[in-house]
Amino acid sequence: MVGAAKHRGVSKMKYLVTTAAAAIALAVSGVSAQAACGSFSHSNLFAGQHVKLPPAPSRGSMANLQRYSSIVGMWHVQYLVSGNLAFQSFQQWHVDNTEFEFADIPTITGDICMGVWNNVGRAYNLYHTAWTFDDNGNPNGTMVLTHVDRLNRRGDAFAGTFDLKFYDSNGNLINEITGDTQADRITGQ
């Protein structure tokens, strides 16, 4: 009985993976599709447009701005593919070398990702993963997002490259998308 249930689950998962692969292929070609932390759908409210954040509380004169020596903190990150905004997120890099991201994609397809990072000087390497879901909220695999980012001298912005890979439930690579990152630090004071 367990074997039959497992077989039905594998068949359903293969169907979902095939559906997800088609959705991703459509997304890359410009047609609406969704996947965790990497939706390229432009049907949601902000996707495809740069969002200006509300002003933070006054921080005083430019001369008094704090310099940051690491990437630890909160960021507004934009992911660009061929120079076009694909999606954006709020991202937190923590002192314990973990990272958390909340993307501007529909919640049902998976908008939360977590990762780990290391650095050499002002260069930061991020390995970040999440579950992927179909448009009905059914799990259909995983994705892995890697960044190589460089913090600017002031520590209030970073830029770099990303590689986004989608895998089916059996760990098979079904799509890969590369592009650039750019981010601005979010501060409270």
Side-chain angles (χ1 to χ4, degrees), residues 2-147:
V2 172
K6 184 177 178 182
H7 178 70
R8 281 191 304 273
V10 169
S11 295
K12 182 178 179 183
M13 191 55 78
K14 285 182 181 179
Y15 170 78
L16 293 173
V17 168
T18 302
T19 303
I24 292 165
L26 290 172
V28 173
S29 68
V31 178
S32 179
Q34 301 157 346
C37 271
S39 172
F40 291 92
S41 168
H42 294 279
S43 63
N44 61 343
L45 185 59
F46 299 124
Q49 64 178 320
H50 296 275
V51 173
K52 183 168 175 58
L53 298 180
S58 175
R59 294 185 283 175
S61 73
M62 291 298 283
N64 293 329
L65 287 178
Q66 180 177 354
R67 280 182 149 353
Y68 297 91
S69 61
S70 86
I71 204 164
V72 170
M74 187 166 171
W75 299 88
H76 176 220
V77 183
Q78 297 178 350
Y79 292 85
L80 308 168
V81 175
S82 299
N84 297 308
L85 181 65
F87 68 101
Q88 56 196 326
S89 69
F90 293 119
Q91 192 174 58
Q92 292 180 337
W93 298 63
H94 307 121
V95 71
D96 65 353
N97 294 77
T98 60
E99 170 266 353
F100 178 82
E101 185 169 39
F102 176 48
D104 73 336
I105 62 174
T107 304
I108 196 168
T109 60
D111 58 350
I112 303 294
C113 306
M114 295 174 280
V116 293
W117 60 271
N118 62 43
N119 72 296
V120 176
R122 298 188 85 69
Y124 292 82
N125 301 299
L126 174 67
Y127 175 89
H128 157 128
T129 191
W131 304 111
T132 57
F133 302 88
D134 65 19
D135 289 339
N136 296 317
N138 299 307
N140 63 8
T142 59
M143 55 74 62
V144 171
L145 175 65
T146 56
H147 287 217

